[in-house]
Amino acid sequence: MKAWAQRIVVAPIFESFIIVLILLNGVILGMETSPRLVAQFGSWFTLGSQVILGMFIVEALLKLTAVAPRVILYFRDGWNVFDFSVIVFSLIPATGQFAMVARLARLL
């Protein structure tokens, strides 16, 4: 399982896929600023955001599996710590707007 996860996380297509997800997430966040679009497509925006969050969780789990059992290697990379924090904040309902700001910061 570890070798499989390592092959996936170092594959250029995997990184490109994650970048596409980040950009798509940014588009959804941008469209959520329009009350008219939210009124029409709000449930689709919510579904899209949840699916993308689920994929980010899978990404983190794959990266953690790739370095297991030495998960400290995952947390030594600043981007991984940032991504992990964004995921955690996105999963906590009380963070609301802060989670959106963190998701936007990931876009940058």
Side-chain angles (χ1 to χ4, degrees), residues 26-91:
V27 169
I28 291 171
L29 286 171
M31 292 186 339
E32 286 179 328
T33 62
S34 167
R36 186 177 58 82
L37 288 176
V38 170
Q40 275 187 289
F41 305 106
S43 60
W44 287 105
F45 295 158
T46 301
L47 177 64
S49 293
Q50 290 174 345
V51 167
I52 291 170
L53 177 60
M55 293 180 149
F56 289 151
I57 292 168
V58 169
E59 173 200 14
L61 291 173
L62 282 170
K63 287 183 174 183
L64 284 164
T65 301
V67 296
R70 296 174 45 202
V71 296
I72 190 69
L73 296 175
Y74 173 83
F75 290 104
R76 283 188 182 160
D77 182 322
W79 284 114
N80 288 341
V81 171
F82 177 74
D83 287 345
F84 192 83
S85 300
V86 170
I87 290 169
V88 169
F89 285 125
S90 295
L91 291 172

